[in-house]
Every structure is written in C-alpha cells, then in structure tokens.
Amino acid sequence: AVSGFIDAAGSRTYSAGVTSRAGLCAQMAILAGVGAGSLLADAVPGCPASFEDLDGVATYYTGDGGGNCSFAPSADVMYTAVAAPDWAGSAECGRCLEVWGPEARIVVRVVDQCPECPSGHLDLSPQAFDLIADPIQGIVPVAFRSIPCPVAGSVVIHQKDGVNLWWFALQIRNHRYAIATIELREAGSASWQPMARQEYNYFLLTSGPGLDFPVDLRITDVHQHAILESVAAVAPDGDTAGAHQFPRCAGLFVDGFESATTAPWWSDSTP
C-alpha cells in the first residue's frame, strides 16, 4: 500500500519509496495482500490530505446496518464490515470508505466486523456488492480508501440503554470522520475526564458519587478536529442533537482515485 498528498505549498510527496506518479499507479495496480500496519491510516494533526490506499478483496453478507458498531438498524444499505484484525476495538465504526470494484466505484460506511476475514478484506452488503460486481462471483478484488462521510447537519449524541448517573455510556452518530476520543466535563468543573472506548462502539465513564449534569463533551475525530457539545440530562436510549459537525479536510489527493484520473487496470468503472 502507498500513500501521498500535495501539501499547501504545492509540493508532491509519496510514501513507501514511490518517487513518481507512474510508480504510484504501478504499485496500486498490484492486487496483493495488505501488510502490517494501520489499515485505514489518517492524516497527521492539522489534517493535510494524507491517507493510505489499500488493495484487498470484497465479499458480501446480509445485515441490518447496525452490526457490532451498535448503530440503530438502518434503511441505508450501503454498509460494510471490516476484518477483525482491522477492527481496532471499534475505532473504525462510522468511517466511510470509497471502494473501487470491477464494475463501479461506491461509498460505504463501516458498521460491523468480519471475525473470519483477514486484514484488508471488506464484507459488503449484498446491495453494495451488486453495484461493483456480479454477486455470482462471490469474491472480487477491490481498492479502497477512507473519505469524508456524506453527512448532513450536526452530529448526534446517543446514550445507551441503561445509563444512569453512575454508569454513563454514549456514542456519536452522523459524524463526518471516525471518532478518536471523547472527554466529559461535569457541571461546575474545570477538568476533562476521558471516556473509555468499548468494543461495542460506546464511550463509557463511571462515577462513584454520580455525575453532575449538564455535562460538556469534547469530541475529537481521527484528524484531530475537536467539537464541543452538551448533554442536559441522563436519557437512556435517547438522542441529543448536536450543534456542530467536523470540518472537511482540505487538500488535493494524488492517489489515482480522483476525478480525471484512471481507474485500476482491472476495473471497468470510470471516475
């Protein structure tokens, strides 16, 4: 896998020893297994347009759009599960991926994990797979990368069923980029307390004396964008509409997937 970006000064940078665009495209055309390292690499703080391009395979399975990420079942059929080695303790939940298949390019959201899949394997919804290949093939080569989710409006803070003043768990929904951390500040306090990410995609904070509401939340995405939101009270299985959304990253990608560039050699789709 290789990555690259053009920085604000217009300098082109490639990683993994690639020194030319031709070399970049040549490496991307090789459908090899994904090696060690982070599956879905993110930009350094400050969010220059840097990411990791991956070659892998895709299959399909039937789900409800919720999965191990504990999202609510959804009518949105454009979802995927990621391989267990790439699950990262639910850190990939809610991330959007642009996927090149043999026949089309699609966008899917990570909602689940595939326990038996090796690293770099996407298990798509049947509808998503049908857009990129004939389902009779069962498994096909793909190339994919992380992109901003096409969300509208602000984030949503969802509280888990069973929450109370002493056991408070929440997850963020409708977010543009994957969530990195959540910190909580109680009413009347100046201190931020980190909430612990759980395997089921909630962030948890326990308190012996009980939390003092309302509470503020500092939510940080994988690009180090931070937004501040507030929750007025405990509301089991309840939603709080946020006031903010993570800003989009700026920059010009040079991964071969952008408009006016060519598709992978094995794909009949067009940019």
Side-chain angles (χ1 to χ4, degrees), residues 194-218:
M195 301 186 74
R197 180 188 286 278
Q198 307 299 303
E199 283 279 339
Y200 48 90
N201 192 35
Y202 277 83
F203 289 80
L204 174 66
L205 184 64
T206 58
S207 173
L211 295 173
D212 290 325
F213 279 79
V215 298
D216 294 326
L217 301 174
R218 182 162 61 194

Side-chain angles (χ1 to χ4, degrees), residues 103-163:
E103 298 178 8
R105 176 174 61 171
I106 60 173
V107 175
V108 293
R109 186 171 68 116
V110 176
V111 303
D112 208 350
Q113 68 168 316
C114 176
E116 68 275 16
C117 293
S119 181
H121 185 141
L122 299 180
D123 207 14
L124 302 169
S125 69
Q127 296 89 340
F129 189 94
D130 187 53
L131 291 174
I132 65 168
D134 186 337
I136 198 170
Q137 296 183 62
I139 183 168
V140 295
V142 294
F144 58 98
R145 69 179 178 103
S146 178
I147 65 168
C149 287
V151 296
S154 302
V155 300
V156 174
I157 300 109
H158 178 78
Q159 298 183 37
K160 198 175 188 312
D161 56 318
V163 295

